[in-house]
Amino acid sequence: MPTETKTTCPYCGVGCGVIATVADSGAVTVKGDPEHPANFGRLCSKGSALAETIDLDGRVLDPEIDGRQTDWDEALDLVAKKFSETIAEHGPDSVAFYVSGQLLTEDYYVANKLMKGFIGSGNIDTNSRLCMSSSVAGHRRAFGSDTVPGTYEDIELADLVILTGSNLAWCHPVIYQRLAAAKAARPAMKVVVIDPRRTMTCDIADLHLGIRPDGDVALFMGLLAHLAQSPAIDQNYIGAHTQGFGEAFTAASALSFTELMERTGLPAMQLREFFRLFETTEKVVTCYSQGVNQSASGTDKVNAIINCHFATGRIGRPGMGPFSLTGQPNAMGGREVGGLANMLAAHMAIESAEDRDRVQRFWASPTIVEKPGLKAVDMFRAVADGRIKALWIMATNPVVSMPDADAVEAAIKTCPFVVVSDILRDTDTARHAHVLLPSLGWGEKDGTVTNSERRISRQRWFLSAPGQARADWWQMAEIGRRMGFAGFEYRSAAEIFAEHAALSAFENDGGRDFDIGAYAGVDGSAYNRLTPFQWPQSAGIAPCETRFFADGDFYHSDRKARFIPVQAPATDRTNEKYPLTLNTGRIRDHWHTMTRTAKSARLSGHIAEPFAEIHPRDAMELGIRGAGLVELESPHGRAVVRALITERQARGNVFVPMHWNDQFAAKARVDALVAPVTDPFSGQPASKNVAIAARPFAACFYGFAVSAIKPLNPQADYWALAKADGGWRIELAFADPVEDWVAWCRATFAIPAGIEPLGYADHQSGDLRLAFFEGGRLLAALFLANEPVAVARNWAIGQLAVEHADLRKRFAIVAGRPGADQPDPGATVCSCFSVGVNRIIGAVRAGCHSVEAVGRETNAGTNCGSCRAEIRGIIDGCLAAAAE
């Protein structure tokens, strides 16, 4: 009989509930859990495709030492020995852990306990430092604790939702759909999007503020100054529950309206409309994400937003409050256990001697960290200069995701001892491991995660552990035991969660926000039955949904909040040599460094290669052509990506996604361009405002190819590889001609000897096409031209999955265009149902003039909905063309 398991999606911080079904055959399907309060059954394209990402291709299945397979005893004994010897010779700060928001809370807890309570160093930081640490710092300054005040329901209850630094439609699609549904039900609801780009989220926006990069502090300073002189000011709330309003107002009012327009790049009319909307709307939620956090002024941005909610008392009540949208699935869980270098477990503070003593007594540990450790950027600097001599990297890929990524890679290469725990062998980081440890992946792991609204959910296993793969918490507990420490004798994730819950309640008389003491005695059976709940859940108190701070009661010693005076920073980092501003971020269907999503052909169908969004006038001045290649350069590195010329991008700005790595592109690790500039309070890197130069990439040949097998080490100046149905697709460019294209194909696509190509060449135009068949099966096809190749790509990919016994079908491939009986679906728009643009255009021409009508005809946009804005744009374009 098929088995169903309720678990949680491993992607963003929305924390969607998932039901995984394993058939008798072993086949896995996934669907949204209609009972989970985060998503009520909805899933985005990535969540819908989870079953396509759990194969064992490329998995690390055995421990490895210097590339040699071994067993756990040898590998763990070596790790424990090397860490112990390094600490004995150089002290506890000579070792470090770099962990991940992909870890479960139980993994995070053991890592933090081992480093801070037993090794005695603060040198444990996380890739969550790169996405939400400015929110943590802003919360702690304002609230006295890292507390998210509201719930997802507030976004639906609000009459004004402000989305700043958040492409919600692509980065948190399920929350976007909840917001879009609420707005459809209550058309009077207003949505303001604050973003330098006109993203797909603007589809539901009543007002788009195309702000300058890093103009957010100035914008919310201006708003505070306006509110202080308006009827919206709540003097009673300010007087009863806050301190520092006068200083914050003085700082905000020092910025003149002319300076405000200059710092934000916004016209007076838009500024006044935004101020009017906030002033006259009681129920306001301000959602912010990476465009706020990933900044050298990220913490000040967070506090500038919170200041406006304090000034109006719009916090902690239904439909009101500042709301940090977390990037990773368990960044919040990591915050709860002290996974950041400057935090202790259970939201306690390293700076507090009382907290340090409390945690040490609870753990019965031989020592306790006395000062914050090195934050991520500084940690890898310490690896580079030799202060850190042993490094353990868990469930993350810093050679791709860290700023100044080339320098990070060089540091890891020279580190005397590097341990990597991961699920894939071939990542940009794992290739430098002295010891590579096989971890469990999604579907195999067992534990808990916490989402953006403080809701803890179970991530349950439904697949057996492959090979020798083991849980991350088990690996760290084993190292703790082998280093001679007591307190790591865990037998299950349930035991760790029970200890974590007990610590949250230990000597907690209400002075700490995080308390899940109700689960301190949970046993394995109760843990397995655990349903999603929102913290706090104190022992002896009935479970309930919670908002914070409507009646004050903050976590500073006097129980009052703090207004934080902020200053508007200079926003322009460009200069004559680097005149453009780079903004990095996510796209709809890929995740982080693609180690999971690149396994799905469906998820690669929408955008299959790295790109740079450039405004048409900038492109014209630089000589960059649409669909051509562009070379990007900063003082730290370079990248080569496809040019996407669009008016959605502001002039002087370039957007490039952060996902591509050396396994899927020749030179597209965009974080190699990002300077290691960080926020002074949070240590979070500034990934949204980077000075770069751009120029056309000179190529004499462009190419596109499909292959039944994964291409081997493509010898090309530019290449971008993606999984496709039936095989692989690859985009190519060559700075110089290849002497023998047939030999190139044989080497790249592993064409067996004796198989000759069917070909076509036009020496005048430079077009060349080669196709290799084995029987009726297409092995590979290469299309070359002097210009970007205009072949029907999705049609060409589809030829990998059909028989070609008929010679005419083979010649159709060489011709590079489908026959009348093989319509080209066009570029993928809807990944959930693999619907191409040509099919949508056909539906529009047949009379489907709304997104809903197109959905009924094609299914496009009817699942996760994140393509609905794109569908609307196609409809508008078709109708406009028909009207001309």
Side-chain angles (χ1 to χ4, degrees):
M1 291 288 291
T3 60
E4 284 192 349
T5 302
K6 288 194 172 187
T7 183
T8 308
C9 179
Y11 287 117
C12 74
V14 175
C16 294
V18 171
I19 298 176
T21 301
V22 182
D24 293 339
S25 64
V28 176
T29 57
V30 298
K31 63 181 180 181
D33 180 356
E35 296 179 350
H36 197 288
N39 60 315
F40 298 106
R42 297 181 180 94
L43 287 180
C44 74
S45 58
K46 294 185 290 293
S48 298
L50 274 168
E52 299 165 27
T53 69
I54 56 177
D55 62 67
L56 299 184
D57 185 36
R59 286 289 297 267
V60 184
L61 297 177
D62 299 282
E64 297 180 9
I65 297 175
D66 294 327
R68 170 181 60 85
Q69 287 187 5
T70 185
D71 58 25
W72 277 107
D73 281 334
E74 184 185 12
L76 293 175
D77 283 346
L78 177 61
V79 174
K81 176 176 179 287
K82 288 286 189 180
F83 270 75
S84 295
E85 289 176 349
T86 302
I87 293 165
E89 184 173 355
H90 302 285
D93 288 335
S94 65
V95 301
F97 295 167
Y98 185 64
V99 297
S100 168
Q102 304 294 300
L103 294 177
L104 303 185
T105 300
E106 292 76 6
D107 304 319
Y108 252 132
Y109 180 87
V110 177
N112 186 63
K113 178 179 178 179
L114 176 58
M115 179 58 76
K116 290 178 180 167
F118 289 79
I119 292 174
S121 172
N123 285 347
I124 175 171
D125 211 42
T126 165
N127 63 11
S128 299
R129 176 71 61 190
L130 313 183
C131 74
M132 39 46 67
S133 55
S134 290
S135 289
V136 174
H139 288 169
R140 293 178 76 182
R141 289 204 301 182
F143 308 147
S145 60
D146 177 25
T147 309
V148 175
T151 70
Y152 292 158
E153 184 186 39
D154 291 324
I155 298 171
E156 298 167 312
L157 296 175
D159 294 321
L160 171 63
V161 175
I162 301 165
L163 303 172
T164 181
S166 167
N167 185 7
L168 196 69
W170 277 19
C171 299
H172 297 92
V174 168
I175 295 300
Y176 175 79
Q177 288 307 313
R178 289 182 64 167
L179 172 60
K183 184 170 173 57
R186 293 190 294 115
M189 171 192 272
K190 301 296 182 185
V191 175
V192 175
V193 173
I194 304 169
D195 198 306
R197 292 192 300 150
R198 186 169 183 85
T199 67
M200 290 300 172
T201 302
C202 293
D203 184 54
I204 61 170
D206 299 282
L207 178 64
H208 170 226
L209 301 180
I211 198 167
R212 283 185 174 170
D214 283 340
D216 312 68
V217 175
L219 177 64
F220 285 94
M221 286 174 66
L223 176 59
L224 180 64
H226 172 86
L227 293 171
Q229 300 176 23
S230 78
I233 195 78
D234 190 337
Q235 295 288 2
N236 290 333
Y237 189 91
I238 292 169
H241 304 302
T242 73
Q243 287 189 12
F245 172 74
E247 293 86 344
F249 171 69
T250 298
S253 59
L255 188 69
S256 72
F257 201 80
T258 301
E259 291 173 320
L260 178 60
M261 289 191 292
E262 171 63 24
R263 295 292 177 93
T264 61
L266 299 173
M269 182 175 66
Q270 284 194 340
L271 287 168
R272 291 192 174 103
E273 174 63 6
F274 174 57
F275 293 172
R276 183 193 67 79
L277 283 171
F278 198 107
E279 174 194 341
T280 59
T281 310
E282 176 74 4
K283 291 186 175 182
V284 182
V285 171
T286 305
C287 299
Y288 58 91
S289 195
Q290 307 316 333
V292 166
N293 293 328
Q294 290 179 336
S295 167
S297 56
T299 304
D300 279 355
K301 289 183 184 183
V302 171
N303 287 117
I305 292 167
I306 294 172
N307 284 346
C308 296
H309 282 271
F310 282 165
T312 52
R314 296 170 183 169
I315 186 169
R317 290 182 283 156
M320 304 181 209
F323 204 120
S324 165
L325 295 170
T326 314
Q328 294 194 79
N330 201 31
M332 290 286 282
R335 288 150 72 167
E336 292 159 11
V337 302
L340 291 164
N342 55 321
M343 299 175 71
L344 269 183
H347 283 198
M348 286 184 266
I350 288 176
E351 311 87 65
S352 166
E354 183 180 355
D355 283 350
R356 295 196 304 271
D357 174 69
R358 181 182 295 114
V359 173
Q360 184 175 8
R361 284 188 288 108
F362 181 87
W363 281 340
S365 60
T367 186
I368 194 69
V369 61
E370 294 188 348
K371 65 181 188 301
L374 295 172
K375 302 180 179 75
V377 169
D378 290 332
M379 178 182 288
F380 284 100
R381 284 178 177 145
V383 174
D385 66 27
R387 283 175 288 155
I388 290 175
K389 303 178 185 301
L391 174 66
W392 192 348
I393 299 168
M394 307 172 199
T396 188
N397 197 4
V399 172
V400 180
S401 57
M402 282 290 295
D404 201 8
D406 287 346
V408 169
E409 181 169 35
I412 294 171
K413 280 183 180 180
T414 60
C415 186
F417 188 65
V418 176
V419 184
V420 174
S421 297
D422 211 327
I423 64 171
L424 291 185
R425 173 179 291 103
D426 296 322
T427 74
D428 299 59
T429 300
R431 63 192 177 196
H432 302 303
H434 299 102
V435 178
L436 182 59
L437 302 177
S439 294
L440 299 178
W442 182 80
E444 303 152 6
K445 298 197 288 188
D446 195 54
T448 57
V449 292
T450 307
N451 73 359
S452 294
E453 63 170 352
R454 296 177 278 109
R455 192 175 303 279
I456 296 175
S457 300
R458 286 278 278 111
Q459 205 176 95
R460 295 180 172 90
W461 72 275
F462 54 88
L463 298 171
S464 299
Q468 294 192 64
R470 297 292 184 270
D472 292 281
W473 65 258
W474 180 88
Q475 298 174 33
M476 289 175 277
E478 281 293 308
I479 293 300
R481 292 197 309 107
R482 290 166 197 247
M483 291 178 72
F485 300 133
F488 293 91
E489 298 77 23
Y490 303 114
R491 295 168 297 176
S492 68
E495 291 182 3
I496 302 168
F497 183 78
E499 182 177 313
H500 164 54
L503 177 56
S504 76
F506 184 59
E507 298 179 356
N508 188 354
D509 59 0
R512 303 196 304 273
D513 61 337
F514 180 70
D515 185 347
I516 55 170
Y519 300 93
V522 70
D523 60 14
S525 177
Y527 183 72
N528 288 336
R529 295 193 307 272
L530 202 67
T531 56
F533 69 93
Q534 189 183 53
W535 66 258
Q537 291 291 320
S538 303
I541 297 176
C544 63
E545 301 290 298
T546 308
R547 295 178 175 88
F548 283 88
F549 310 140
D551 299 315
D553 198 25
F554 293 90
Y555 291 94
H556 288 291
S557 58
D558 60 3
R559 309 302 282 189
K560 289 190 173 185
R562 300 292 189 268
F563 279 91
I564 304 297
V566 295
Q567 301 295 325
T571 58
D572 190 0
R573 294 201 175 94
T574 62
N575 53 51
E576 186 175 351
K577 186 174 181 181
Y578 301 105
L580 300 172
T581 298
L582 171 68
N583 171 17
T584 69
R586 295 179 183 167
I587 60 172
R588 189 186 78 190
D589 295 341
H590 276 307
W591 176 255
H592 282 201
T593 63
M594 297 170 61
T595 48
R596 182 183 288 116
T597 52
K599 285 175 168 279
S600 167
R602 182 153 55 109
L603 294 178
S604 294
H606 182 236
I607 297 174
E609 63 179 323
F611 64 91
E613 280 193 4
I614 305 173
H615 189 275
R617 288 186 61 185
D618 289 334
M620 181 181 65
E621 291 174 3
L622 293 165
I624 296 167
R625 295 178 298 168
L629 294 173
V630 57
E631 182 176 4
L632 307 174
E633 184 182 12
S634 82
H636 301 274
R638 61 182 287 272
V640 179
V641 297
R642 187 72 63 181
L644 174 59
I645 298 173
T646 171
E647 292 187 352
R648 293 192 301 268
Q649 182 60 272
R651 284 216 65 191
N653 287 255
V654 177
F655 172 82
V656 181
M658 53 81 71
H659 308 290
W660 272 267
N661 54 65
D662 289 351
Q663 279 67 57
F664 294 98
K667 192 70 177 176
R669 289 187 297 119
V670 72
D671 278 308
L673 280 69
V674 176
V677 174
T678 60
D679 178 280
F681 303 102
S682 69
Q684 181 153 359
S687 302
K688 305 291 187 183
N689 189 346
V690 181
I692 62 164
R695 62 185 71 90
F697 179 80
C700 69
F701 280 101
Y702 294 86
F704 172 74
V706 296
S707 172
I709 67 162
K710 188 174 183 178
L712 305 172
N713 190 26
Q715 296 301 302
D717 297 285
Y718 169 85
W719 57 268
L721 182 66
K723 190 81 175 287
D725 287 334
W728 297 82
R729 59 181 290 175
I730 184 169
E731 301 284 347
L732 298 155
F734 303 84
D736 300 298
V738 171
E739 184 175 340
D740 187 339
W741 287 109
V742 173
W744 186 92
C745 288
R746 291 191 189 282
T748 304
F749 305 124
I751 303 298
I755 293 180
E756 297 299 323
L758 191 66
Y760 161 83
D762 185 328
H763 297 292
Q764 186 172 357
S765 69
D767 286 3
L768 174 69
R769 291 147 196 185
L770 297 170
F772 296 83
F773 296 89
E774 186 173 47
R777 176 172 171 251
L778 176 66
L779 298 180
L782 172 67
F783 306 88
L784 288 168
N786 296 132
E787 302 290 332
V789 177
V791 68
R793 281 161 168 74
N794 275 0
W795 166 82
I797 291 165
Q799 302 313 297
L800 292 169
V802 298
E803 282 291 313
H804 298 86
D806 188 334
L807 190 60
R808 288 174 298 177
K809 286 188 175 182
R810 300 188 185 192
F811 275 112
I813 294 175
V814 174
R817 58 181 179 270
D821 61 335
Q822 293 179 309
D824 173 27
T828 300
V829 174
C830 173
S831 296
C832 293
F833 295 105
S834 299
V835 181
V837 63
N838 290 345
R839 190 176 173 199
I840 293 172
I841 290 172
V844 176
R845 289 173 176 169
C848 299
H849 293 170
S850 69
V851 174
E852 290 72 23
V854 168
R856 287 192 293 271
E857 178 66 22
T858 69
N859 278 335
T862 61
N863 183 40
C864 78
S866 54
C867 62
R868 290 171 65 87
E870 198 168 345
I871 295 169
R872 198 182 318 278
I874 294 168
I875 294 169
D876 292 344
C878 288
L879 296 180
E884 291 179 353

